[in-house]
Amino acid sequence: MKSSISSVLAIVLGLGLASGNSAWAQPTAAPGEAGEAYQGMPAIAPMGVRVDRYLPVPNSAAVPPVDPAKGYRLQELGHGLYMVTDNAYQSMFMVYDKGVVVMDAPPSYSAHLKQAIAEVTDRPITHLIYSHAHIDHIGGAADLGGHPIIVAQEETKRLLERSNDPKRPVPTVTFKDRYTLKVGSQVLELSYHGNAHEPGNIFIWAPAQKVLMVVDIVFPGWMAWSGFADAQDIPGYFNQVAEIDKIPFETLVSGHVDRVGTHADVREQLEFMNDVKSATRTALQTTPPYVGMADADKTNPWAVADNYIDRVVVKCVDAVTPKWQSRLAAYDVFIWSQCFAMQQSLRID
């Protein structure tokens, strides 16, 4: 039975199980109860385990604080372009001779966006660009008031029509691959590079300022959000990080977290991602099935897969932690989910 279950799992789930019979230990707890931890568990607490304190954020990620009375921080990016941030979310606005173009409206500070703009100009908001459809980045669009022209990729319009959310008005102008917005002397070039984080997530390029805005792909100085930022297409996500590095930007606005980014940040994230991929591939190839399982559970293919996957993830976390835990802020928060997402992708993508 052990051999047939292995074959089924290898075919259906693409586990790449190691051959041969593995030694296994009797469980130390009754069915349904927690037993001993997997062998070689890292010191970093896994998901679902409460910690007294997370790892400290490295000094390299330190930035100017947000004035609590304002609820945001304003940073000039040059030639009428500004970033607004609460040191967790980021958006931009561009001033031109007759008005203002806003790029994203995160609800965490959208009530203050008009105040931020008023620090620079009294011109009206004429355009709003959606980076993508997710509510945490554009859920404050209705707070801007007025009736701006809303520009987005056509997939974003499709998703927002499905959501039917009054906080996220449906775009009035859409495009498939590329769109150039010219307002006065200012130019923004919008482009779609396929699904990675989610369909419709675009690149926003300000050529005069050499500023690139791509949201939920790169996280300068920080661990990416859970599961490679909830990427719907992880191979596509890897491709887009590499693609971002090819654009001749001087400043990257990534939608998160507390500072702008550089090419060095992009390359560091890609190096980390490739380390996770390499460690996971090795773990998938060298982890035997059934270790630590009771005989009665070995005929349960879901249980065998769960046991195998858990131990693959443990090996991945163990492999990459010594190099990365002191380099990326909040490394310990999401490293388990990155390794889990990577093994899912390598097995089925």
mmCIF file of all heavy atoms in Angstrom, residues 160-189:
data_model
loop_
_atom_site.group_PDB
_atom_site.id
_atom_site.type_symbol
_atom_site.label_atom_id
_atom_site.label_comp_id
_atom_site.label_asym_id
_atom_site.label_seq_id
_atom_site.Cartn_x
_atom_site.Cartn_y
_atom_site.Cartn_z
ATOM 1 N N LEU A 160 -13.352 44.843 -11.197
ATOM 2 C CA LEU A 160 -14.116 45.825 -10.432
ATOM 3 C C LEU A 160 -15.600 45.776 -10.789
ATOM 4 O O LEU A 160 -16.460 46.011 -9.922
ATOM 5 C CB LEU A 160 -13.550 47.220 -10.653
ATOM 6 C CG LEU A 160 -12.164 47.446 -10.039
ATOM 7 C CD1 LEU A 160 -11.645 48.836 -10.383
ATOM 8 C CD2 LEU A 160 -12.184 47.246 -8.524
ATOM 9 N N GLU A 161 -15.915 45.468 -12.019
ATOM 10 C CA GLU A 161 -17.327 45.280 -12.376
ATOM 11 C C GLU A 161 -17.905 44.097 -11.620
ATOM 12 O O GLU A 161 -19.055 44.141 -11.170
ATOM 13 C CB GLU A 161 -17.462 45.082 -13.881
ATOM 14 C CG GLU A 161 -17.259 46.364 -14.684
ATOM 15 C CD GLU A 161 -17.315 46.142 -16.172
ATOM 16 O OE1 GLU A 161 -17.023 45.010 -16.629
ATOM 17 O OE2 GLU A 161 -17.626 47.110 -16.905
ATOM 18 N N ARG A 162 -17.111 43.055 -11.466
ATOM 19 C CA ARG A 162 -17.561 41.893 -10.699
ATOM 20 C C ARG A 162 -17.719 42.230 -9.226
ATOM 21 O O ARG A 162 -18.688 41.788 -8.576
ATOM 22 C CB ARG A 162 -16.564 40.748 -10.877
ATOM 23 C CG ARG A 162 -16.964 39.457 -10.188
ATOM 24 C CD ARG A 162 -15.905 38.402 -10.354
ATOM 25 N NE ARG A 162 -14.675 38.732 -9.611
ATOM 26 C CZ ARG A 162 -13.596 37.970 -9.604
ATOM 27 N NH1 ARG A 162 -13.550 36.867 -10.333
ATOM 28 N NH2 ARG A 162 -12.538 38.323 -8.892
ATOM 29 N N SER A 163 -16.792 43.016 -8.687
ATOM 30 C CA SER A 163 -16.851 43.363 -7.267
ATOM 31 C C SER A 163 -18.028 44.271 -6.944
ATOM 32 O O SER A 163 -18.600 44.197 -5.850
ATOM 33 C CB SER A 163 -15.543 44.044 -6.843
ATOM 34 O OG SER A 163 -14.450 43.176 -7.008
ATOM 35 N N ASN A 164 -18.362 45.182 -7.875
ATOM 36 C CA ASN A 164 -19.485 46.108 -7.678
ATOM 37 C C ASN A 164 -19.358 46.833 -6.333
ATOM 38 O O ASN A 164 -20.278 46.866 -5.530
ATOM 39 C CB ASN A 164 -20.813 45.348 -7.758
ATOM 40 C CG ASN A 164 -22.009 46.286 -7.834
ATOM 41 O OD1 ASN A 164 -21.900 47.408 -8.307
ATOM 42 N ND2 ASN A 164 -23.154 45.821 -7.344
ATOM 43 N N ASP A 165 -18.195 47.435 -6.119
ATOM 44 C CA ASP A 165 -17.870 48.085 -4.859
ATOM 45 C C ASP A 165 -17.892 49.600 -5.054
ATOM 46 O O ASP A 165 -17.072 50.141 -5.793
ATOM 47 C CB ASP A 165 -16.484 47.636 -4.400
ATOM 48 C CG ASP A 165 -16.054 48.246 -3.076
ATOM 49 O OD1 ASP A 165 -16.848 48.996 -2.473
ATOM 50 O OD2 ASP A 165 -14.905 47.966 -2.657
ATOM 51 N N PRO A 166 -18.800 50.305 -4.406
ATOM 52 C CA PRO A 166 -18.861 51.763 -4.587
ATOM 53 C C PRO A 166 -17.601 52.485 -4.115
ATOM 54 O O PRO A 166 -17.368 53.627 -4.522
ATOM 55 C CB PRO A 166 -20.077 52.175 -3.752
ATOM 56 C CG PRO A 166 -20.297 51.060 -2.782
ATOM 57 C CD PRO A 166 -19.859 49.818 -3.491
ATOM 58 N N LYS A 167 -16.801 51.838 -3.285
ATOM 59 C CA LYS A 167 -15.549 52.454 -2.854
ATOM 60 C C LYS A 167 -14.489 52.415 -3.950
ATOM 61 O O LYS A 167 -13.490 53.134 -3.873
ATOM 62 C CB LYS A 167 -15.010 51.737 -1.608
ATOM 63 C CG LYS A 167 -15.909 51.853 -0.389
ATOM 64 C CD LYS A 167 -15.315 51.105 0.789
ATOM 65 C CE LYS A 167 -16.196 51.215 2.019
ATOM 66 N NZ LYS A 167 -15.629 50.443 3.168
ATOM 67 N N ARG A 168 -14.706 51.565 -4.948
ATOM 68 C CA ARG A 168 -13.765 51.421 -6.060
ATOM 69 C C ARG A 168 -14.523 51.617 -7.375
ATOM 70 O O ARG A 168 -14.903 50.638 -8.024
ATOM 71 C CB ARG A 168 -13.096 50.045 -6.033
ATOM 72 C CG ARG A 168 -12.177 49.810 -4.860
ATOM 73 C CD ARG A 168 -11.656 48.373 -4.833
ATOM 74 N NE ARG A 168 -12.681 47.438 -4.386
ATOM 75 C CZ ARG A 168 -12.559 46.111 -4.457
ATOM 76 N NH1 ARG A 168 -11.460 45.575 -4.985
ATOM 77 N NH2 ARG A 168 -13.518 45.325 -4.019
ATOM 78 N N PRO A 169 -14.748 52.862 -7.771
ATOM 79 C CA PRO A 169 -15.498 53.110 -9.008
ATOM 80 C C PRO A 169 -14.849 52.429 -10.212
ATOM 81 O O PRO A 169 -13.622 52.322 -10.306
ATOM 82 C CB PRO A 169 -15.449 54.638 -9.150
ATOM 83 C CG PRO A 169 -15.183 55.137 -7.761
ATOM 84 C CD PRO A 169 -14.340 54.096 -7.100
ATOM 85 N N VAL A 170 -15.675 51.988 -11.148
ATOM 86 C CA VAL A 170 -15.188 51.307 -12.343
ATOM 87 C C VAL A 170 -14.433 52.301 -13.228
ATOM 88 O O VAL A 170 -14.854 53.449 -13.384
ATOM 89 C CB VAL A 170 -16.371 50.691 -13.113
ATOM 90 C CG1 VAL A 170 -15.922 50.116 -14.453
ATOM 91 C CG2 VAL A 170 -17.033 49.601 -12.266
ATOM 92 N N PRO A 171 -13.301 51.898 -13.795
ATOM 93 C CA PRO A 171 -12.537 52.804 -14.660
ATOM 94 C C PRO A 171 -13.358 53.315 -15.836
ATOM 95 O O PRO A 171 -14.232 52.615 -16.354
ATOM 96 C CB PRO A 171 -11.372 51.928 -15.146
ATOM 97 C CG PRO A 171 -11.269 50.836 -14.146
ATOM 98 C CD PRO A 171 -12.642 50.592 -13.632
ATOM 99 N N THR A 172 -13.048 54.523 -16.248
ATOM 100 C CA THR A 172 -13.718 55.122 -17.403
ATOM 101 C C THR A 172 -12.877 55.031 -18.664
ATOM 102 O O THR A 172 -13.397 55.188 -19.773
ATOM 103 C CB THR A 172 -14.057 56.597 -17.105
ATOM 104 O OG1 THR A 172 -12.879 57.258 -16.617
ATOM 105 C CG2 THR A 172 -15.134 56.688 -16.034
ATOM 106 N N VAL A 173 -11.578 54.807 -18.521
ATOM 107 C CA VAL A 173 -10.665 54.612 -19.646
ATOM 108 C C VAL A 173 -9.848 53.351 -19.375
ATOM 109 O O VAL A 173 -9.259 53.220 -18.292
ATOM 110 C CB VAL A 173 -9.720 55.816 -19.831
ATOM 111 C CG1 VAL A 173 -8.689 55.524 -20.917
ATOM 112 C CG2 VAL A 173 -10.495 57.082 -20.168
ATOM 113 N N THR A 174 -9.824 52.441 -20.339
ATOM 114 C CA THR A 174 -9.054 51.207 -20.160
ATOM 115 C C THR A 174 -8.143 50.969 -21.360
ATOM 116 O O THR A 174 -8.323 51.551 -22.428
ATOM 117 C CB THR A 174 -9.969 49.982 -19.978
ATOM 118 O OG1 THR A 174 -10.786 49.814 -21.143
ATOM 119 C CG2 THR A 174 -10.840 50.130 -18.744
ATOM 120 N N PHE A 175 -7.178 50.106 -21.165
ATOM 121 C CA PHE A 175 -6.252 49.738 -22.239
ATOM 122 C C PHE A 175 -5.878 48.274 -22.072
ATOM 123 O O PHE A 175 -6.065 47.679 -21.000
ATOM 124 C CB PHE A 175 -5.002 50.622 -22.205
ATOM 125 C CG PHE A 175 -4.143 50.446 -20.980
ATOM 126 C CD1 PHE A 175 -3.051 49.603 -20.990
ATOM 127 C CD2 PHE A 175 -4.448 51.124 -19.795
ATOM 128 C CE1 PHE A 175 -2.263 49.428 -19.857
ATOM 129 C CE2 PHE A 175 -3.666 50.961 -18.661
ATOM 130 C CZ PHE A 175 -2.573 50.119 -18.692
ATOM 131 N N LYS A 176 -5.322 47.693 -23.149
ATOM 132 C CA LYS A 176 -4.928 46.286 -23.118
ATOM 133 C C LYS A 176 -3.454 46.116 -22.782
ATOM 134 O O LYS A 176 -3.102 45.426 -21.829
ATOM 135 C CB LYS A 176 -5.239 45.623 -24.455
ATOM 136 C CG LYS A 176 -4.892 44.132 -24.477
ATOM 137 C CD LYS A 176 -5.276 43.494 -25.800
ATOM 138 C CE LYS A 176 -4.980 41.998 -25.793
ATOM 139 N NZ LYS A 176 -5.359 41.358 -27.084
ATOM 140 N N ASP A 177 -2.588 46.721 -23.587
ATOM 141 C CA ASP A 177 -1.142 46.526 -23.418
ATOM 142 C C ASP A 177 -0.422 47.790 -22.961
ATOM 143 O O ASP A 177 0.363 47.753 -22.012
ATOM 144 C CB ASP A 177 -0.514 46.026 -24.724
ATOM 145 C CG ASP A 177 -1.055 44.675 -25.146
ATOM 146 O OD1 ASP A 177 -1.180 43.797 -24.271
ATOM 147 O OD2 ASP A 177 -1.356 44.500 -26.338
ATOM 148 N N ARG A 178 -0.690 48.919 -23.641
ATOM 149 C CA ARG A 178 0.016 50.158 -23.324
ATOM 150 C C ARG A 178 -0.907 51.354 -23.450
ATOM 151 O O ARG A 178 -1.838 51.352 -24.269
ATOM 152 C CB ARG A 178 1.233 50.347 -24.251
ATOM 153 C CG ARG A 178 2.307 49.293 -24.038
ATOM 154 C CD ARG A 178 3.551 49.562 -24.875
ATOM 155 N NE ARG A 178 4.566 48.548 -24.597
ATOM 156 C CZ ARG A 178 5.432 48.594 -23.595
ATOM 157 N NH1 ARG A 178 5.428 49.637 -22.776
ATOM 158 N NH2 ARG A 178 6.315 47.620 -23.408
ATOM 159 N N TYR A 179 -0.626 52.360 -22.641
ATOM 160 C CA TYR A 179 -1.403 53.597 -22.696
ATOM 161 C C TYR A 179 -0.503 54.742 -22.235
ATOM 162 O O TYR A 179 0.177 54.629 -21.204
ATOM 163 C CB TYR A 179 -2.624 53.503 -21.781
ATOM 164 C CG TYR A 179 -3.517 54.722 -21.794
ATOM 165 C CD1 TYR A 179 -4.494 54.885 -22.765
ATOM 166 C CD2 TYR A 179 -3.380 55.712 -20.822
ATOM 167 C CE1 TYR A 179 -5.326 55.999 -22.780
ATOM 168 C CE2 TYR A 179 -4.201 56.834 -20.823
ATOM 169 C CZ TYR A 179 -5.168 56.968 -21.805
ATOM 170 O OH TYR A 179 -5.985 58.075 -21.813
ATOM 171 N N THR A 180 -0.482 55.821 -23.003
ATOM 172 C CA THR A 180 0.293 56.996 -22.634
ATOM 173 C C THR A 180 -0.655 58.112 -22.225
ATOM 174 O O THR A 180 -1.536 58.501 -22.994
ATOM 175 C CB THR A 180 1.180 57.474 -23.796
ATOM 176 O OG1 THR A 180 2.092 56.423 -24.148
ATOM 177 C CG2 THR A 180 1.981 58.710 -23.391
ATOM 178 N N LEU A 181 -0.487 58.587 -21.009
ATOM 179 C CA LEU A 181 -1.283 59.704 -20.503
ATOM 180 C C LEU A 181 -0.439 60.968 -20.587
ATOM 181 O O LEU A 181 0.574 61.090 -19.910
ATOM 182 C CB LEU A 181 -1.719 59.448 -19.064
ATOM 183 C CG LEU A 181 -2.519 60.580 -18.391
ATOM 184 C CD1 LEU A 181 -3.840 60.817 -19.108
ATOM 185 C CD2 LEU A 181 -2.752 60.275 -16.910
ATOM 186 N N LYS A 182 -0.868 61.911 -21.443
ATOM 187 C CA LYS A 182 -0.189 63.195 -21.585
ATOM 188 C C LYS A 182 -1.100 64.285 -21.047
ATOM 189 O O LYS A 182 -2.222 64.473 -21.531
ATOM 190 C CB LYS A 182 0.149 63.464 -23.051
ATOM 191 C CG LYS A 182 1.164 62.489 -23.647
ATOM 192 C CD LYS A 182 1.487 62.841 -25.091
ATOM 193 C CE LYS A 182 2.512 61.894 -25.671
ATOM 194 N NZ LYS A 182 2.839 62.205 -27.093
ATOM 195 N N VAL A 183 -0.640 64.974 -20.020
ATOM 196 C CA VAL A 183 -1.399 66.078 -19.434
ATOM 197 C C VAL A 183 -0.460 67.269 -19.318
ATOM 198 O O VAL A 183 0.511 67.236 -18.571
ATOM 199 C CB VAL A 183 -1.990 65.696 -18.059
ATOM 200 C CG1 VAL A 183 -3.191 64.770 -18.218
ATOM 201 C CG2 VAL A 183 -0.945 65.018 -17.173
ATOM 202 N N GLY A 184 -0.744 68.325 -20.069
ATOM 203 C CA GLY A 184 0.190 69.438 -20.113
ATOM 204 C C GLY A 184 1.545 68.958 -20.596
ATOM 205 O O GLY A 184 1.650 68.260 -21.608
ATOM 206 N N SER A 185 2.573 69.283 -19.850
ATOM 207 C CA SER A 185 3.927 68.848 -20.214
ATOM 208 C C SER A 185 4.325 67.538 -19.536
ATOM 209 O O SER A 185 5.451 67.060 -19.725
ATOM 210 C CB SER A 185 4.938 69.939 -19.831
ATOM 211 O OG SER A 185 4.922 70.156 -18.416
ATOM 212 N N GLN A 186 3.419 66.958 -18.757
ATOM 213 C CA GLN A 186 3.729 65.736 -18.023
ATOM 214 C C GLN A 186 3.291 64.491 -18.800
ATOM 215 O O GLN A 186 2.279 64.508 -19.517
ATOM 216 C CB GLN A 186 3.030 65.737 -16.658
ATOM 217 C CG GLN A 186 3.482 66.855 -15.728
ATOM 218 C CD GLN A 186 4.791 66.528 -15.017
ATOM 219 O OE1 GLN A 186 5.667 65.863 -15.565
ATOM 220 N NE2 GLN A 186 4.930 67.000 -13.792
ATOM 221 N N VAL A 187 4.051 63.418 -18.626
ATOM 222 C CA VAL A 187 3.776 62.166 -19.335
ATOM 223 C C VAL A 187 3.894 60.994 -18.367
ATOM 224 O O VAL A 187 4.834 60.919 -17.571
ATOM 225 C CB VAL A 187 4.754 61.956 -20.515
ATOM 226 C CG1 VAL A 187 4.520 60.591 -21.173
ATOM 227 C CG2 VAL A 187 4.609 63.070 -21.537
ATOM 228 N N LEU A 188 2.935 60.079 -18.466
ATOM 229 C CA LEU A 188 2.996 58.806 -17.750
ATOM 230 C C LEU A 188 2.755 57.691 -18.758
ATOM 231 O O LEU A 188 1.791 57.739 -19.529
ATOM 232 C CB LEU A 188 1.941 58.738 -16.638
ATOM 233 C CG LEU A 188 2.158 59.648 -15.435
ATOM 234 C CD1 LEU A 188 0.907 59.667 -14.560
ATOM 235 C CD2 LEU A 188 3.369 59.207 -14.618
ATOM 236 N N GLU A 189 3.606 56.696 -18.753
ATOM 237 C CA GLU A 189 3.472 55.558 -19.654
ATOM 238 C C GLU A 189 3.041 54.336 -18.849
ATOM 239 O O GLU A 189 3.750 53.890 -17.946
ATOM 240 C CB GLU A 189 4.796 55.298 -20.375
ATOM 241 C CG GLU A 189 5.225 56.457 -21.270
ATOM 242 C CD GLU A 189 6.573 56.241 -21.907
ATOM 243 O OE1 GLU A 189 7.197 55.179 -21.666
ATOM 244 O OE2 GLU A 189 7.022 57.131 -22.661
#
